[in-house]
Amino acid sequence: MKAIAEGLFTDESPPRLIGGRHRESGRIVFPFPGSEDFDLVPLGRDGSLWSWTVQRYRPKSPPYAGPDDFAPWIVGYVELPGETIVEARIDGVSAESLSIGMPLTLTAVPLDPACPGQRMIPAFRPAGQS
């Protein structure tokens, strides 16, 4: 898998996100900040939907490197119990089917599914979906 950024996912299958644990306070953040004050920590794959919205307009480039033909997507905040809240795309479910607290599992999806060899981004799907 070719991730959109270095150090985003672990090498295991299925992958996990890589966060950082603050050495002094123990607070976990995502993404890993690359600071000596933090240790790398693989995050859990399972969480629950904390909040969400629909991204209805094409983000500015840079940093957005997705397709020119923009299609709206769901973006959510997913609470990883005892760790942190992660912002990521929500995949495999319609906005009308979402509910706060619904169980979700980490996956990786291509930034642009229409482009072969596209880099992968973190996403969450309803638990039990492959």
Side-chain angles (χ1 to χ4, degrees):
M1 170 178 66
K2 193 173 186 180
I4 196 157
E6 291 266 335
L8 190 61
F9 296 104
T10 62
D11 291 333
E12 60 197 309
S13 183
R16 296 193 294 173
L17 295 173
I18 299 173
R21 178 179 283 120
H22 191 261
R23 289 183 178 164
E24 201 170 297
S25 69
R27 179 174 177 240
I28 297 175
V29 298
F30 175 80
F32 178 71
S35 164
E36 291 181 12
D37 295 333
F38 289 83
D39 292 320
L40 290 170
V41 60
L43 302 176
R45 291 184 185 97
D46 298 314
S48 60
L49 187 61
W50 189 78
S51 186
W52 62 274
T53 191
V54 178
Q55 176 74 32
R56 298 188 189 279
Y57 60 91
R58 188 178 191 280
K60 290 185 348 182
S61 294
Y64 181 71
D68 287 332
D69 287 340
F70 179 78
W73 68 73
I74 302 168
V75 62
Y77 287 101
V78 179
E79 182 175 9
L80 303 176
E83 295 178 330
T84 193
I85 295 175
V86 173
E87 180 183 352
R89 192 174 291 190
I90 306 296
D91 192 59
V93 64
S94 68
E96 296 77 31
S97 300
L98 291 173
S99 61
I100 302 301
M102 84 183 296
L104 301 169
T105 300
L106 177 69
T107 188
V109 298
L111 177 62
D112 181 1
C115 260
Q118 188 64 219
R119 293 182 180 262
M120 304 300 275
I121 62 170
F124 284 84
R125 289 190 171 145
Q129 250 190 36
S130 48

